[in-house]
């Protein structure tokens, strides 16, 4: 009986060498780097919260205001950035306009002063102001009562709903752009296909923006504010992140997805002012947060929900800039290849290169 000759066994090391290409090795190294950066960014931003340069008003008669401001300016670590205000109405107005985060009203005829806070801007910060002021007043033989002039909604646990809402919109943006890259290639084949990608991204942004606004508003009752305004914000955030991710893919190829994760998730989320409002973040995260979509979006969402849409011009312009720059780069990349890809059987080539 004849025996079929068996092929010599392939060594394990040879199989590993064939499977682990230089490109795969670089991608794995990149994933590990993102993992470590994720840990460093989140723990670095959130592990030791303390107030720093919190905009704070002082209302007191005559020289008492100057003395109080001087005392607050000398606090160790500089937790407050105090300024004298004319009266309680001015303090309340500046809090509502998001010019300051709190104010102390000194009663010259008694021993109990009043602290104005705005938990709608972040409960962690308002609680920190209460603790700090209570300790300071106790040292002076005085007591303090707290008035929340812009309270967070009862259904908005710890004031985090605006942040989680914005995170959801950001996730929708970069996941949609990533799906287009995985299914059709990182770079659009021509200008027309770049336009199709951006139009798809815009449609997802409109639907996702509306869905998020309806869920946190009428469905769950977790966030007050105009549904229409939140819808517009959600559409802008989703499109801004999606267009930026498309642009990064045009520049870096599939690695652009990792760059988007770095900017939006690793750097953007911990610096967004969600878990910790900006004055309680370390300097690096406090500095970069407002310029990234999660930070600009969280600030705007809180303003819409609790502060009558005050002080949203800068953050809205930042989001618009991300959307515009991402769109411009994506269109420019598509226009570089004016020759359409040949159509395969049943037009499958057209789909592969969207």
């Amino acid at each position: 009986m004849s025996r079929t000759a068996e092929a010599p066994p392939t060594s394990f090391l040879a199989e590993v060498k064939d499977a682990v290409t230089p490109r795969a090795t670089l991608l794995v190294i990149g994933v590990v780097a993102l993992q470590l950066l994720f840990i460093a960014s989140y723990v670095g931003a959130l592990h030791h919260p303390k107030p720093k340069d919190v905009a704070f008003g002082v209302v007191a008669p005559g020289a008492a205001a100057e003395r109080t401001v001087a005392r607050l300016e000398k606090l160790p670590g500089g937790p407050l950035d105090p300024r004298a205000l004319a009266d309680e109405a001015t303090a309340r107005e500046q809090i509502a306009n998001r010019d300051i985060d709190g104010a102390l009203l000194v009663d010259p005829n008694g021993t109990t002063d009043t602290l104005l806070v705005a938990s709608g801007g972040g409960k962690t910060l308002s609680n920190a102001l209460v603790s700090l002021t209570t300790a300071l007043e106790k040292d002076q033989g005085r007591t303090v009562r707290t008035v929340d002039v812009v309270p967070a909604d009862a259904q908005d646990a710890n004031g985090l709903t605006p942040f989680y809402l914005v995170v959801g919109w950001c996730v929708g943006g970069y996941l949609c752009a990533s799906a287009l890259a995985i299914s059709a290639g990182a770079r659009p084949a021509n200008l027309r296909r770049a336009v199709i990608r951006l139009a798809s991204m815009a449609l997802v942004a409109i639907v996702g923006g509306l869905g998020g606004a309806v869920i946190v508003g009428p469905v769950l009752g977790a966030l007050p504010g105009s549904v229409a305004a939140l819808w517009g914000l959600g559409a802008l955030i989703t499109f801004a992140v999606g267009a930026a991710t498309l642009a990064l893919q045009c520049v870096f190829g599939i690695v652009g997805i990792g760059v988007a994760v770095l900017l939006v998730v690793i750097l953007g989320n911990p610096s967004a002012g969600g878990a910790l409002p900006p004055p309680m973040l370390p300097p690096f995260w406090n500095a970069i947060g407002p310029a990234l979509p999660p930070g600009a979006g969280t600030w705007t969402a809180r303003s819409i929900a609790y502060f009558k849409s005050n002080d949203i011009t800068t953050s809205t312009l930042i989001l618009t800039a991300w959307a515009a720059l991402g769109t411009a780069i994506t269109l420019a990349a598509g226009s570089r290849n004016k020759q359409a890809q040949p159509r395969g059987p049943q037009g499958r080539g057209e789909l592969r290169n969207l």
Side-chain angles (χ1 to χ4, degrees):
M1 179 181 294
S2 62
R3 298 180 62 184
T4 304
E6 295 182 357
T10 303
S11 71
F12 175 74
L13 291 178
E15 291 182 356
V16 171
K17 183 178 180 181
D18 290 339
V20 182
T21 63
R23 183 172 183 270
T25 301
L26 290 175
L27 288 175
V28 170
I29 292 173
V31 169
V32 173
L34 287 176
Q35 178 189 51
L36 298 180
L37 286 171
F38 183 97
I39 296 171
S41 183
Y42 278 70
V43 176
L46 307 177
H47 78 289
H48 184 47
K50 57 182 180 179
K52 176 68 174 177
D53 293 330
V54 179
F56 193 76
V58 173
V59 178
E66 296 179 3
R67 289 196 301 268
T68 304
V69 168
R71 179 163 60 93
L72 296 179
E73 287 177 335
K74 295 177 181 178
L75 291 176
L80 301 178
D81 178 18
R83 70 287 310 268
L85 301 178
D87 49 35
E88 179 179 349
T90 301
R92 286 176 173 269
E93 180 182 5
Q94 290 201 11
I95 291 174
N97 290 336
R98 308 199 76 178
D99 296 324
I100 60 175
D101 297 298
L104 181 65
L105 313 180
V106 178
D107 181 3
N109 300 316
T111 60
T112 299
D113 299 329
T114 301
L115 173 66
L116 305 181
V117 297
S119 62
K123 287 188 177 181
T124 305
L125 178 57
S126 62
N127 291 339
L129 290 177
V130 171
S131 298
L132 177 63
T133 307
T134 300
L136 292 174
E137 293 285 275
K138 184 177 181 180
D139 290 342
Q140 299 294 315
R142 303 177 67 84
T143 58
V144 63
R145 71 182 186 96
T146 301
V147 177
D148 195 344
V149 297
V150 186
D153 192 83
Q155 301 299 317
D156 181 9
N158 296 318
L160 291 175
T161 299
F163 171 62
Y164 291 137
L165 176 62
V166 170
V167 168
W169 282 329
C170 289
V171 168
Y174 68 72
L175 284 185
C176 178
S178 301
L180 289 172
I182 293 171
S183 64
R187 298 178 177 91
N190 54 42
L191 180 58
R192 183 171 65 86
R193 289 166 183 169
V195 172
I196 292 175
R197 290 192 182 193
L198 290 168
S200 301
M201 193 67 253
L203 179 61
V204 168
I206 292 171
V207 175
L210 176 60
V214 170
I215 288 172
V216 301
V219 174
L220 297 179
L223 197 67
S226 166
V227 171
L230 288 173
W231 177 13
L233 173 63
L236 177 58
I237 292 172
T238 305
F239 183 78
V241 173
T245 304
L246 290 175
L248 290 169
Q249 291 167 181
C250 291
V251 176
F252 299 106
I254 200 69
V255 177
I257 296 176
V259 179
V261 170
L262 172 65
L263 292 173
V264 177
V265 178
I266 294 176
L267 293 177
N269 285 353
S271 65
L276 295 178
M280 299 196 70
L281 290 170
F284 172 75
W285 287 269
N286 190 6
I288 67 172
L292 297 174
T298 299
W299 179 272
T300 308
R302 279 183 171 147
S303 289
I304 291 172
Y306 295 118
F307 295 91
K308 300 180 181 179
S309 296
N310 289 325
D311 196 20
I312 64 171
T313 301
T314 299
S315 55
T316 303
L317 288 175
I318 288 171
L319 292 169
T320 303
W322 277 86
L325 187 59
T327 299
I329 293 174
T330 302
L331 293 176
S335 66
R336 291 180 59 186
N337 184 6
K338 299 181 183 299
Q339 181 65 38
Q341 296 293 325
R343 296 171 65 91
Q346 289 87 43
R348 287 196 299 270
E350 186 81 13
L351 292 175
R352 283 197 301 270
N353 294 285
L354 286 178

